[in-house]
Amino acid sequence: MGEQNQVKFPQEVLDEYKDYGIDLPALFSAGHLGTRMGIEIKEASADRVVATMPVEGNTQPYGLLHGGASAVLAETLGSVGAMLHGGIGRLAVGVDLNCTHHRSARSGHVTGVATPVHRGRTTATYDIVITDEQDRRVCSARLTCLLKDAPMTDSAPPAA
């Protein structure tokens, strides 16, 4: 997934996780699917998550960015934001994703930016805007995640 050391986390997030020996870029990443798709998270906080993804390798048979690839990018960004909102004792599980595809992309990279619509105790909803290199909107998406208690482990405290 590229150099995850370049991900920008707010200091309060770094402080929250520092005593647990958790690799934040690995925890708040696109996972194996995102790695295969070339998703690189650039910035991550509960208020804003930014990532890029190459068009090449993520196209449908006509050579256009696959709508499913945009959906993966959108769900990744919204999930990371929801996980950061939930904090160390909570997991975010996507329960609803809606994507509207506005235009195609044939080359370069797309950038996704997720911002919160609602951040509650049990759900978090994020709007995600995906744009091409000319800053034209490729896709608008909205993701709602259920926030649930994380299972107890040796490295994570119980949910507050």
Side-chain angles (χ1 to χ4, degrees):
M1 203 173 345
E3 277 299 312
Q4 284 297 329
N5 293 335
Q6 295 177 1
V7 177
K8 294 183 205 168
F9 289 100
Q11 189 60 49
E12 61 268 16
V13 171
L14 296 173
D15 292 345
E16 181 180 2
Y17 287 84
K18 71 178 178 184
D19 294 333
Y20 299 101
I22 295 172
D23 179 359
L24 280 176
L27 180 62
F28 298 110
S29 73
H32 296 293
L33 177 59
T35 299
R36 285 193 300 274
M37 296 181 72
I39 295 174
E40 292 189 26
I41 297 176
K42 303 294 186 182
E43 176 185 333
S45 73
D47 294 321
R48 177 178 156 96
V49 183
V50 179
T52 60
M53 179 179 71
V55 172
E56 185 176 334
N58 293 313
T59 58
Q60 38 88 314
Y62 299 116
L64 305 174
L65 178 64
H66 197 291
S70 293
V72 168
L73 178 58
E75 183 145 358
T76 298
L77 294 174
S79 293
V80 168
M83 288 167 50
L84 288 166
H85 163 66
I88 198 160
R90 309 282 289 195
L91 297 176
V93 180
V95 294
D96 183 64
L97 175 65
N98 175 278
C99 297
T100 301
H101 307 288
H102 304 290
R103 70 172 49 245
S104 61
R106 289 187 175 275
S107 63
H109 284 76
V110 292
T111 299
V113 178
T115 54
V117 174
H118 166 77
R119 290 185 299 186
R121 186 177 56 80
T122 58
T123 63
T125 300
Y126 281 78
D127 274 338
I128 303 96
V129 174
I130 300 173
T131 57
D132 64 14
E133 290 178 333
Q134 289 74 47
D135 204 30
R136 298 176 298 190
R137 192 177 291 225
V138 172
C139 177
S140 298
R142 178 172 285 197
L143 174 72
T144 297
C145 289
L146 173 67
L147 300 173
K148 55 188 252 173
D149 290 339
M152 293 288 292
T153 66
D154 292 336
S155 62

